[in-house]
Amino acid sequence: ELLPPSERGFAPLPGDAPVRGLRRTAASEEPPPAATAAAATAAASAIALPPEELARSRTAAWVRRTLSPLGLRFCPYTASAEVSGSGLESFGVRPAPIAYAHSEAGSVASLLVDFWAAACGMAEGGEESCSSIVLSAPSWDDRWGEWHRTVFPLLEASVLAAGLGRTLGIVCFHPQYETPSDAWLARHRFGHMHSPSKLRRYLREHDAALAARSSESDLRWAGSYQRRSP
């Protein structure tokens, strides 16, 4: 139910939100004018950033909010927006910085060039210089079909063709990510979320009651959500 006009207003989204914007609030929640002005100034400054810096800022905020223990903890190995590879010391892996890369490429060929430039830099720098790369490619944000059917399988094939399948692992994220069908995953498992049937098996081991009341669509939505980037 909508609040009456006298009791509703708008406030800026938190500073770590993936995009700058406003949320509807009750009048009692409205920030003081100084706070609103400061948020508006910060938003304007962010919009004025070069595309690469803006993408890095928003992507890092997403890593902090969703993957790290400061947020939803989707990745147990991400310590913060700056460091990952955490919790694997017993396997001889030491935490190292996260590298943020950006590609404006709208074609597959140009994207492959940018991907391999980042991947080669990581491989040449060694494990201590970089634990992982978060590569943003905003030209593909509205092209999920192409990304999951063509681009990501090609990235996988190029890693395997280079003989680096056990050195580089790539993980598929996208703003419109949907867990592929079981038939697709049987052929292209590399880097994708587990199927709902496999998620149900995992859930039964940890919370049988929750597994029993979670439908197929619930599990597909939850799995897909974990792979949705800003």
Side-chain angles (χ1 to χ4, degrees):
E1 183 178 359
L2 289 176
L3 293 168
S6 61
E7 296 182 20
R8 66 174 184 250
F10 295 92
L13 289 174
D16 65 349
V19 296
R20 301 296 179 185
L22 300 173
R23 64 183 179 91
R24 190 180 295 279
T25 66
S28 60
E29 295 181 76
E30 292 182 30
T36 304
T41 300
S45 298
I47 293 172
L49 288 173
E52 184 171 352
E53 292 183 34
L54 183 58
R56 186 201 182 287
S57 173
R58 291 178 175 177
T59 305
W62 168 75
V63 170
R64 185 182 304 108
R65 190 182 68 257
T66 61
L67 304 184
S68 82
L70 300 175
L72 296 175
R73 305 183 182 184
F74 281 172
C75 178
Y77 311 119
T78 300
S80 67
E82 291 76 36
V83 176
S84 68
S86 179
L88 297 169
E89 289 82 358
S90 61
F91 295 95
V93 177
R94 288 189 289 181
I98 297 173
Y100 290 89
H102 180 74
S103 173
E104 289 289 336
S107 69
V108 174
S110 296
L111 180 64
L112 276 172
V113 171
D114 291 341
F115 167 79
W116 277 107
C120 288
M122 176 183 182
E124 291 167 2
E127 295 181 357
E128 294 183 357
S129 67
C130 176
S131 61
S132 55
I133 300 168
V134 180
L135 171 65
S136 58
S139 294
W140 300 85
D141 281 358
D142 297 319
R143 300 161 69 182
W144 164 241
E146 290 179 84
W147 186 262
H148 117 260
R149 289 193 302 268
T150 303
V151 178
F152 199 77
L154 185 56
L155 294 177
E156 171 192 358
S158 71
V159 169
L160 297 177
L164 296 174
R166 300 186 68 83
T167 302
L168 296 174
I170 56 175
V171 181
C172 187
F173 288 89
H174 193 275
Q176 300 169 351
Y177 187 92
E178 293 286 345
T179 304
S181 67
D182 287 3
W184 175 269
L185 290 175
R187 303 191 307 274
H188 304 282
R189 175 65 193 90
F190 200 77
H192 278 289
M193 174 51 65
H194 295 295
S195 67
S197 58
K198 183 167 286 189
L199 292 178
R200 186 178 299 282
R201 291 200 299 272
Y202 292 152
L203 189 56
R204 282 198 192 108
E205 295 176 7
H206 299 283
D207 192 331
L210 179 59
R213 64 176 185 268
S214 297
S215 67
E216 174 94 359
S217 60
D218 290 336
L219 293 172
R220 184 170 294 280
W221 176 86
S224 297
Y225 186 80
Q226 291 188 51
R227 292 299 181 85
R228 287 186 183 160
S229 56

